[in-house]
Structures are given as structure tokens and as C-alpha cells.
Amino acid sequence: VAPVAAHYDLDPMEHLIERLTASQSLPLWFFHARNDEMCPFAPIEDLVRQLRRRSGAEVRLTDFEDTWSNQGHCADRVPYWATPQSPGQ
């Protein structure tokens, strides 16, 4: 599973962590811009830290600076392609 620019705004986050770690071994690889203005980076970084502590599966986080969009939220370029696919991207 590869969440891209993920956002989770329900507290407490513990319920999500339990669901993602209980009896599962599916790897998770998060992609998120540090400068994302729509979905802040800090909560995802915390989520990944907690998942790594509790999950039996591999949990990765690829973080980066989005220099190609106005809000830092165009994260799909990182996991899916390395060059712009349309004008203005």
C-alpha cells in the first residue's frame, strides 16, 4: 500500500494505528512533501513513526520538497513519474 499525500484528521490516531498493524504484514510506503500546505507533514511523520514501532510489516516514508506546485500538494510525481507529464506541472 502506498499512500500519497495522505491525510488523517480524526483523533485519536490510535484507532488507525491499531487497524493498520493488527494481524497484517502488508508493507506501507508513504510519500509526502514536507512543505505540503493542504495536508501537513508532521502528523504523517508521527503516524509513520508509530507504525514502525508497532507493525510487523515494513513501513517506509519518502519525504521531499515539492518545488513544482503552489501548495506543496502535488505528491504523485514522486512515486509515479520523475518528469512533468503536462504543461505547468
Side-chain angles (χ1 to χ4, degrees):
V1 176
V4 177
H7 180 69
Y8 185 76
D9 62 355
L10 300 176
D11 285 325
M13 195 179 291
E14 182 64 27
H15 299 294
L16 176 65
I17 293 166
E18 286 176 19
R19 291 180 63 201
L20 290 175
T21 58
S23 302
Q24 69 89 19
S25 59
L26 187 65
L28 300 168
W29 191 347
F30 292 80
F31 294 85
H32 208 104
R34 287 192 164 274
N35 61 325
D36 190 329
E37 295 176 12
M38 295 178 72
C39 300
F41 178 75
I44 295 304
E45 186 175 39
D46 183 47
L47 171 64
V48 168
R49 189 177 304 114
Q50 291 183 54
L51 288 171
R52 283 178 175 159
R53 268 185 281 188
R54 295 184 47 187
S55 180
E58 181 178 9
V59 180
R60 293 184 181 188
L61 172 62
T62 297
D63 61 312
F64 56 92
E65 286 292 317
D66 178 341
T67 59
W68 49 87
S69 72
N70 293 333
Q71 295 179 320
H73 191 67
C74 186
D76 57 340
R77 179 183 289 187
V78 175
Y80 300 119
W81 58 75
T83 59
Q85 299 297 305
S86 62
Q89 235 185 354

